[in-house]
Amino acid sequence: MEPLYQQTHKQVHEIQSHMGRLETADKQSLHLVENEIQASIDQIFSHLERLEILSSKEPPNKRQNAKLRVDQLKYDVQHLQTALRNFQHRRYAREQQERQREELLSRTFTANGTQKKILDIANMLGLSNTVMRLTEKRAFQDKYFMIGGMLLTCVVMFLVVQYLT
């Protein structure tokens, strides 16, 4: 039992050092390091099952101590497994945020695109082509009223400044 325990204990420490590499690994090698760590954890779990069997076969005076050591290893490996899952979850969330950000930055918000969407929605709702044409004509006329109003306001402000100063 002792050589298997020492080997498993050594693997746990190697995984702990590999966990530090996760933070500094580039995107290409990140998946490889994660897979390597997961494979080592799986191997350790199989070793732990064998160690549990062997610890139950120890002499009664050593059995309690052997089970305690195996339980401690099991706790350490579960902690490493949880740390790996947390890292993977954070990485996945970060990648998803980057994808959403890129998607938002790639969108173009134009008036024509918006108008086309409104017309598509109106068409889906069953508004007739005549009503949609009247709406477009009204929007066109409103634009000229707005420009005329802005020009009139500028002329009035100019005249007020001219005569009051």
Side-chain angles (χ1 to χ4, degrees), residues 76-116:
D76 290 346
V77 174
Q78 288 172 345
H79 177 73
L80 289 172
Q81 181 78 41
T82 304
L84 178 64
R85 284 189 184 134
N86 286 341
F87 178 81
Q88 289 171 331
H89 178 70
R90 284 193 317 267
R91 180 181 50 82
Y92 175 74
R94 191 170 44 246
E95 288 173 355
Q96 188 175 9
Q97 287 172 348
E98 288 173 7
R99 281 193 303 273
Q100 289 173 346
R101 180 178 179 271
E102 290 301 320
E103 180 183 323
L104 283 174
L105 290 176
S106 68
R107 285 186 186 172
T108 56
F109 297 101
T110 62
N112 291 339
T114 307
Q115 183 179 7
K116 184 178 183 305

Side-chain angles (χ1 to χ4, degrees), residues 19-103:
M19 293 294 281
R21 283 190 355 195
L22 274 178
E23 298 295 332
T24 60
D26 59 345
K27 286 187 177 183
Q28 286 76 22
S29 63
L30 188 63
H31 293 292
L32 294 174
V33 173
E34 283 179 1
N35 291 340
E36 182 181 319
I37 290 173
Q38 186 60 51
S40 296
I41 288 174
D42 293 341
Q43 184 181 20
I44 289 174
F45 274 125
S46 68
H47 285 239
L48 286 173
E49 290 173 6
R50 177 108 171 96
L51 280 170
E52 282 181 334
I53 293 169
L54 290 174
S55 68
S56 65
K57 293 180 180 179
E58 285 285 315
N61 57 345
K62 292 183 179 179
R63 189 175 301 152
Q64 182 67 25
N65 188 25
K67 284 189 178 194
L68 238 139
R69 291 170 64 188
V70 171
D71 286 343
Q72 180 62 42
L73 270 180
K74 191 183 292 187
Y75 173 79
D76 290 346
V77 174
Q78 288 172 345
H79 177 73
L80 289 172
Q81 181 78 41
T82 304
L84 178 64
R85 284 189 184 134
N86 286 341
F87 178 81
Q88 289 171 331
H89 178 70
R90 284 193 317 267
R91 180 181 50 82
Y92 175 74
R94 191 170 44 246
E95 288 173 355
Q96 188 175 9
Q97 287 172 348
E98 288 173 7
R99 281 193 303 273
Q100 289 173 346
R101 180 178 179 271
E102 290 301 320
E103 180 183 323

